[in-house]
Amino acid sequence: MRLKDKVAIVTGAGRGLGKGIALKLAEEGAKVVIADMNLAEDVVSEITEKGQTASCIKVNVADQAEVAAMVQFAADTYGTLDIMVNNAGINRDGMLHKMPKENWDTVIAVDLTGTFYGTQEALKYMRTKNYGRIINISSGSWLGNIGQANYAAAKAGVVGLTKTAARENAKKGITCNAICPGFIETDMTLKLKEVNDGAAWESMMQRIPMGYAGKPSDVGNMVAFLASDEAAYITSEVINVGGGMIV
Ligand SMILES: NC(=O)c1ccc[n+]([C@@H]2O[C@H](COP(=O)([O-])OP(=O)(O)OC[C@H]3O[C@@H](n4cnc5c(N)ncnc54)[C@H](O)[C@@H]3O)[C@@H](O)[C@H]2O)c1
């Protein structure tokens, strides 16, 4: 119960990694706002059935007014906001020389600008109480990955944004760190199983030194640590959770 009575928002928590993060934070005692494009009442039920606390709100992270309303919702519902996890993200993969501008714009709007809104709105609140934990979900792809120019640029932007937010707010009791997941089993990645009769998935497994895809809980464990008092002196870091895949 490292996060007893802390209040957290997790964006994109309707499924996948965000859901894994939300379940872990709730298990550690946090009251969790499940924020997603789709109202995730099923995730709330899964948490509350265990006697833990959660509620949900529908939000598009690419809309600043909706993100501001989400922060207000957490404060109105649970009295404060301690932990902000900017996890919502999408991909629209394709080779750069053929990439439609629309696919660039959409990914930047959600993955980078959405994280900017989430970080900025959380900071406005956290700076008033001199406490906060901001955790941004980047990706190992920030280092560059074939077919992911838009996604890599957005996720590299998240690293720069995170490091700057960390430095600007260090004296305000607010930490800001980024996590780079490697290859985690979620709807985003499971579609690879359909490519070349599963051969693409198998080839991906061979690129992971541990030989298997991570689970959302693997990332949830790192988020819970960074959100806890144990990580009070850790800020401006970029931490890989990738089974040795990210070098
Ligand atoms: N799965 C991986 O291997 C992996 C690896 C590295 C980084 N990531 C990052 O982790 C995060 C979560 O990925 P995932 O694999 O769980 O994806 P996913 O597609 O399984 O789930 C994404 C969730 O975000 C929500 N969402 C999408 N756009 C949104 C928006 N504009 N506003 C609010 N919610 C929105 C979706 O409704 C969905 O519930 C993303 O930022 C992704 O880039 C994932």
Side-chain angles (χ1 to χ4, degrees):
M1 297 293 272
R2 288 177 293 181
L3 306 176
K4 192 164 169 20
D5 295 332
K6 295 281 192 233
V7 176
I9 296 174
V10 184
T11 67
R15 68 177 192 210
L17 253 166
K19 179 180 170 186
I21 293 166
L23 295 180
K24 179 65 185 172
L25 297 186
E27 194 184 302
E28 292 272 5
K31 299 166 184 167
V32 187
V33 174
I34 311 294
D36 201 284
M37 286 279 272
N38 307 305
L39 203 58
E41 280 162 340
D42 54 328
V43 181
V44 171
S45 302
E46 201 172 322
I47 291 173
T48 53
E49 277 163 15
K50 289 186 269 186
Q52 299 156 3
T53 309
S55 50
C56 58
I57 184 169
K58 198 170 163 186
V59 64
N60 174 8
V61 297
D63 182 315
Q64 187 157 20
E66 289 190 24
V67 174
M70 169 186 79
V71 170
Q72 194 58 50
F73 174 81
D76 291 345
T77 310
Y78 299 121
T80 190
L81 174 65
D82 303 297
I83 303 159
M84 177 77 216
V85 185
N86 291 299
N87 162 80
I90 56 168
N91 59 355
R92 296 282 182 276
D93 293 356
M95 295 298 276
L96 176 55
H97 65 279
K98 293 188 285 193
M99 184 175 285
K101 168 80 165 28
E102 190 196 341
N103 288 4
W104 171 270
D105 289 342
T106 312
V107 169
I108 297 293
V110 176
D111 295 19
L112 180 56
T113 310
T115 304
F116 160 70
Y117 292 149
T119 303
Q120 187 180 58
E121 293 302 329
L123 280 173
K124 286 182 195 168
Y125 190 87
M126 290 170 175
R127 284 175 65 92
T128 64
K129 54 175 214 151
N130 292 315
Y131 181 86
R133 295 275 190 272
I134 299 173
I135 297 141
N136 292 332
I137 304 301
S138 176
S139 164
S141 293
W142 81 278
L143 294 159
N145 200 18
I146 291 171
Q148 293 198 309
N150 47 2
Y151 186 76
K155 295 300 188 178
V158 167
V159 169
L161 167 69
T162 301
K163 286 182 166 290
T164 303
R167 284 153 206 228
E168 288 182 0
N169 295 282
K171 288 201 171 64
K172 282 278 185 186
I174 301 166
T175 67
C176 188
N177 294 289
I179 295 176
C180 294
F183 193 79
I184 313 293
E185 219 175 288
T186 68
D187 288 1
M188 187 185 266
T189 52
L190 281 168
K191 42 192 180 193
L192 201 64
K193 283 199 167 166
E194 287 147 32
V195 180
N196 293 341
D197 289 333
W201 179 272
E202 283 316 313
S203 132
M204 178 58 75
M205 293 308 110
Q206 282 164 24
R207 287 175 50 198
I208 305 171
M210 286 191 175
Y212 60 92
K215 297 266 183 287
S217 58
D218 292 318
V219 179
N221 289 336
M222 179 52 71
V223 172
F225 168 67
L226 289 173
S228 75
D229 288 343
E230 293 165 2
Y233 199 59
I234 299 173
T235 196
S236 192
E237 297 296 347
V238 179
I239 298 160
N240 298 329
V241 178
M245 184 190 185
I246 308 162
V247 285

